[in-house]
Amino acid sequence: MAAADSPSTALRRRDLCSRGIRLAGKMRADVVDLLDAYVEQQGLDASASVAAVEGVPLAAVERWDEQTGTQRLLENLAAYRAFRALLAQMLEEQREQLGEADAGLGRALAAVLLQVSAFAYHLEELLRLESRGIPGEEEDGPPPPPRLSRFEQKLRGLGVLRELAHWAVRSVRDLRQLAKPSPASGAAPGLAESP
Amino acid sequence: GSLGDPQNLKCVTHNLQKMVCTWDVSSRGRRGQTDFCYTTNDLTPQVCFTTKERRVEIPIPESSITVTIKSSGTATKEFVIHQKDISFVPITPHILSLMPDFPTSTLNLKWSDNGSVFPYGLDAFWQIQILRKEPMEVVTQVTYYSKLTHEDVILSWNWTSDMPLECTSHYVKIRCYINATQFVGSKDWSDWSPAEVIPGKDTEPGESGVFPLDPVVAVGSDLTFCCVHEEDQRITNMIYGSKSYTMMQLSSRSHAIRVLNANVSNSSGTNVVCRLENAWEGSVVFVGYAPDTPQNLSCETPNFLIIKCTWKPGRPSGLYGERRTKYSLFERTSGRNVSCEVSELSKDHVCDFPVLPAQKTYDFILGVSNPIGQAKSSLLVDITQRVHPKTPEKLTVTENNSTSIQLRWFINGSFAEIRLLCQIEISSSHSERKLQNVSTPGRKSSTYTTQVNELHPHTKYQFRVRCSAADHFWRWSDWSRGVEQTTSEA
């Protein structure tokens, strides 16, 4: 059994978790707004079914309850790093395709990208707190996406934003799970233990 | 005639030089050796030969020919063939190549006119048929005209389809008719050539999608989009923008819709969506305008370092990003070309061009283009007559007494080649605003001074200055910032 946290670490974790929860909640609200604007601006049908988009991490997870705290953080971190790259790609496509037309959507996209970057950093903070090694980012970043047609780009953007909204919800649940005090000592358990 | 006699002798020429004569034999005629003789007139000796076929190739007679055919075991049968009895059916044309250009949905057909076979100068008519769909339907049939030159000439013809070539296979056939005016026999079309095919994507296993992919088209265009899918994949509908369109089936794996008089699309384009049973396919069409001819093209220099050209762009193209309208400024004398950074949304369209050493006159062509079209405007200008100086800066009072003051100011720019005309505005609370002009040789990024006299003692004055070219006035600069000064007491 790993030794329980010192009170200061537990306090620090709870603080990071609650700030992370607020950040994820705000991010979700902004992503949902962005999604609405994106659907309208791209002339898409909100009910469009989008098959799993290559490179987009899925928020749905089996046996969520059984995940350790470290697994939660590592999966969250990997996901938000992926979203950071995907949103940056979308922003690039936005500039390429639209130039200054509809700069509003571009700004909203950039704002969400900023939040995703901040949240990824926040997750790294949590991992550092547990003196967990921060997984290095892939040296030269994710492989360049295949050359897609405009419609495929639009659908992929839709898929990315939808999944990001799902992830924000999952992150809130994960962080709440991490912030829970362990039943025995009342102090928050070490990451390895917390299911 | 008795049994086995040769009958129905017919002669056809394909090249106006030789003719192929064929005959048949009345019923139950056995196929054996046949003696075939012909003579064109009394003077030339009869030509005979034996054949097992009921077909011979012999020269075309000037006027008529007498033929005798004797099959084994039958009597000799004589026929007189006049030129008018001979029919002329040109050789079936041979398609040399059929090349698709997918981006423009254009087919290029090349064939030989076989002119070397015919006398010089005959008129030839070529019927070209384009077919599509399963079962094949004729999409169009055109007649192409050419003149034969007694040489084999490769003819070429382009056809632009009303739908992307990817949508379904396109077939092409050709036949010809040669107006041999000297030939008195009957003249007819050749046979159709074998069909050449450009396979559609609906023939490629595993291929699917909406075509054309991400096209850029002009407002008002009539568009055809098709959805290529798997054979067993049921197609639900095809939507253009937000409207579902009636589909036409091109083949078992391809359906199409026709959109008439397309409206301008929004900045992200108009989606064309094909809903299949368990998938979506789509394309995005960008409908916009070709660029207008730029209006009111005007060029001036603020400082003899750069030339600023401005213009009115006209109607927005509705195209953005990589499809936006792009501008370039080409100067004919120097051959210099500058691409202009102009935003589709900005009201003012401005482009800077460097002032070139020892060049006063500039022959500009402003080129405008986007994927739909292009336009241009031109302007010949002597920049010494188009000086619009920058706002004078650092206006200061350098000397001052009871009735006069000295002003100094700075103008950024190289005006050494011209004289400057500057205008001082003198105003005070109890006298009318006065303007004083001063002309001075221009200099390079320099300060200028002038004396303002006949002022009232102990009076507060405000001064401003603006400048322009002295010799060829074009435009005043903006007024400088004001400076305030009270003259000393008398």
Side-chain angles (χ1 to χ4, degrees):
Chain A
M1 244 310 264
D5 285 334
S6 69
S8 67
T9 303
L11 199 62
R12 172 82 174 125
R13 177 186 312 103
R14 234 192 339 274
D15 172 52
L16 282 175
C17 284
S18 62
R19 275 198 286 128
I21 289 166
R22 282 200 302 279
L23 188 53
K26 169 75 165 69
M27 182 164 51
R28 181 176 185 280
D30 288 353
V31 169
V32 168
D33 290 345
L34 174 58
L35 194 49
D36 292 343
Y38 183 84
V39 163
E40 189 192 334
Q41 206 278 331
Q42 301 292 351
L44 290 170
D45 173 344
S47 70
S49 71
V50 179
V53 181
E54 192 189 333
V56 174
L58 295 178
V61 61
E62 288 169 12
R63 292 190 295 279
W64 175 80
D65 309 329
E66 301 165 15
Q67 281 200 324
T68 67
T70 302
Q71 278 173 322
R72 294 183 196 287
L73 284 177
L74 291 175
E75 281 192 12
N76 268 263
L77 182 56
Y80 285 95
R81 282 178 170 172
F83 281 117
R84 190 169 52 197
L86 289 163
L87 290 172
Q89 170 72 26
M90 280 176 71
L91 204 50
E92 181 51 34
E93 282 163 8
Q94 175 83 6
R95 286 196 187 105
E96 190 185 277
Q97 293 297 328
L98 296 177
E100 291 94 353
D102 211 318
L105 187 70
R107 282 193 299 271
L109 199 52
V112 166
L113 171 56
L114 218 56
Q115 292 180 64
V116 164
S117 302
F119 194 71
Y121 179 76
H122 199 80
L123 295 167
E124 287 169 4
E125 276 288 295
L126 269 165
L127 280 165
R128 262 191 286 273
L129 183 67
E130 312 308 328
S131 57
R132 291 280 162 195
I134 310 291
E137 300 221 42
E138 286 171 27
E139 266 315 295
D140 38 21
R147 176 78 190 159
L148 300 177
S149 74
R150 266 309 285 148
F151 188 69
E152 287 164 334
Q153 282 177 355
K154 288 187 174 190
L155 283 191
R156 187 188 60 190
L158 187 59
V160 167
L161 294 179
R162 275 183 182 160
E163 208 55 48
L164 179 54
H166 295 326
W167 260 102
V169 172
R170 174 178 161 181
S171 299
V172 167
R173 293 178 60 220
D174 282 336
L175 290 174
R176 283 195 180 122
Q177 195 68 12
L178 288 175
K180 274 186 192 163
S182 82
S185 66
L191 286 181
E193 300 164 45
S194 80
Chain B
S2 55
L3 283 181
D5 270 0
Q7 57 182 14
N8 301 327
L9 179 67
K10 290 195 192 71
C11 295
V12 175
T13 176
H14 296 303
N15 54 26
L16 298 177
Q17 290 157 34
K18 292 209 167 168
M19 62 184 184
V20 175
C21 295
T22 57
W23 63 92
D24 55 43
V25 174
S26 61
S27 57
R28 292 206 305 284
R30 283 183 306 102
R31 184 180 285 277
Q33 289 281 95
T34 301
D35 295 328
F36 185 99
C37 297
Y38 69 89
T39 172
T40 49
N41 56 39
D42 300 341
L43 304 179
T44 54
Q46 196 178 48
V47 176
C48 293
F49 43 85
T50 309
T51 175
K52 280 193 174 150
E53 304 296 324
R54 291 181 183 147
R55 177 188 187 284
V56 294
E57 186 175 65
I58 55 176
I60 283 192
E62 290 294 326
S63 61
S64 69
I65 185 171
T66 305
V67 168
T68 58
I69 304 173
K70 182 180 181 326
S71 299
S72 46
T74 67
T76 301
K77 197 77 187 324
E78 186 175 282
F79 302 86
V80 177
I81 303 285
H82 300 280
Q83 198 183 72
K84 65 175 177 55
D85 305 323
I86 303 164
S87 52
F88 167 39
V89 177
I91 304 159
T92 304
H94 165 62
I95 292 179
L96 294 175
S97 74
L98 177 63
M99 300 301 291
D101 176 44
F102 286 99
T104 59
S105 305
T106 301
L107 293 176
N108 170 261
L109 178 68
K110 285 190 168 50
W111 73 97
S112 166
D113 74 353
N114 275 325
S116 60
V117 167
F118 297 107
Y120 182 89
L122 292 188
D123 292 329
F125 300 87
W126 310 86
Q127 258 182 0
I128 302 165
Q129 248 185 20
I130 310 278
L131 306 98
R132 238 179 357 212
K133 288 196 170 176
E134 292 167 1
M136 266 206 244
E137 275 176 13
V138 175
V139 178
T140 187
Q141 176 169 299
V142 299
T143 301
Y144 179 90
Y145 164 78
S146 74
K147 201 174 261 297
L148 302 181
T149 59
H150 197 47
E151 286 173 351
D152 288 345
V153 173
I154 293 178
L155 299 175
S156 175
W157 174 75
N158 280 350
W159 176 71
T160 299
S161 174
D162 62 340
M163 74 169 62
L165 299 178
E166 295 95 335
C167 287
T168 194
S169 299
H170 285 71
Y171 303 86
V172 179
K173 298 196 292 190
I174 186 169
R175 68 178 180 176
C176 77
Y177 175 90
I178 293 174
N179 189 21
T181 45
Q182 307 301 324
F183 182 74
V184 298
S186 70
K187 297 181 263 285
D188 207 345
W189 286 92
S190 73
D191 291 339
W192 287 103
S193 71
E196 284 290 326
V197 60
I198 298 297
K201 291 282 188 192
D202 57 347
T203 62
E204 293 177 24
E207 183 64 62
S208 67
V210 172
F211 300 94
L213 201 55
D214 304 348
V216 184
V217 301
V219 169
S221 301
D222 295 341
L223 310 168
T224 300
F225 294 94
C226 66
C227 179
V228 173
H229 50 84
E230 290 297 348
E231 189 120 17
D232 53 9
Q233 223 174 354
R234 201 173 53 81
I235 183 167
T236 310
N237 61 347
M238 287 181 74
I239 301 162
Y240 177 83
S242 53
K243 185 178 165 219
S244 190
Y245 275 71
T246 309
M247 294 185 290
M248 44 184 168
Q249 180 158 7
L250 303 180
S251 73
S252 58
R253 292 184 53 200
S254 183
H255 287 73
I257 58 172
R258 185 88 169 128
V259 176
L260 302 179
N261 192 18
N263 272 327
V264 64
S265 45
N266 79 9
S267 54
S268 73
T270 303
N271 297 334
V272 187
V273 180
C274 171
R275 275 208 184 136
L276 299 164
E277 238 165 342
N278 42 28
W280 289 55
E281 297 284 0
S283 174
V284 180
V285 57
F286 300 90
V287 188
Y289 295 98
D292 271 350
T293 301
Q295 302 298 316
N296 310 346
L297 175 59
S298 168
C299 298
E300 61 186 34
T301 179
N303 52 19
F304 278 96
L305 300 174
I306 59 160
I307 300 168
K308 276 191 176 303
C309 293
T310 57
W311 65 90
K312 294 276 183 232
R315 177 183 48 192
S317 68
L319 301 173
Y320 300 90
E322 55 189 21
R323 286 165 292 274
R324 69 188 183 280
T325 298
K326 292 169 181 163
Y327 296 84
S328 66
L329 203 51
F330 173 69
E331 203 283 316
R332 240 196 290 249
T333 318
S334 61
R336 285 272 299 253
N337 192 64
V338 165
S339 66
C340 312
E341 276 312 313
V342 178
S343 151
E344 176 85 14
L345 300 174
S346 67
K347 220 167 26 50
D348 307 323
H349 281 54
V350 183
C351 193
D352 289 352
F353 191 91
V355 169
L356 302 172
Q359 183 168 338
K360 274 179 31 175
T361 305
Y362 291 76
D363 190 356
F364 284 124
I365 296 175
L366 176 66
V368 197
S369 68
N370 68 23
I372 295 176
Q374 51 197 3
K376 63 182 177 188
S377 280
S378 50
L379 178 70
L380 184 64
V381 63
D382 173 346
I383 57 165
T384 63
Q385 303 179 20
R386 289 291 181 280
V387 178
H388 176 205
K390 287 193 180 250
T391 309
E393 303 164 41
K394 305 171 195 155
L395 175 63
T396 51
V397 175
T398 51
E399 283 171 24
N400 162 33
N401 61 37
S402 60
T403 59
S404 77
I405 60 119
Q406 189 180 60
L407 288 172
R408 189 174 64 204
W409 62 91
F410 171 82
I411 302 180
N412 200 350
S414 293
F415 298 104
E417 291 184 37
I418 63 167
R419 289 184 62 81
L420 282 175
L421 169 68
C422 291
Q423 192 170 67
I424 316 299
E425 179 193 70
I426 308 145
S427 41
S428 77
S429 53
H430 48 65
S431 70
E432 255 198 23
R433 167 182 178 263
K434 272 200 314 188
L435 294 174
Q436 174 179 314
N437 285 357
V438 53
S439 172
T440 171
R443 289 193 293 276
K444 180 172 181 168
S445 285
S446 173
T447 58
Y448 302 87
T449 58
T450 191
Q451 198 76 22
V452 177
N453 302 316
E454 296 169 10
L455 298 177
H456 299 296
H458 194 48
T459 306
K460 180 188 285 186
Y461 286 93
Q462 292 82 28
F463 303 96
R464 289 194 310 178
V465 64
R466 65 180 179 177
C467 296
S468 70
D471 301 327
H472 299 285
F473 177 85
W474 167 245
R475 287 172 67 182
W476 286 109
S477 72
D478 290 341
W479 285 104
S480 70
R481 291 161 64 105
V483 68
E484 198 169 82
Q485 181 66 40
T486 304
T487 51
S488 57
E489 297 195 15

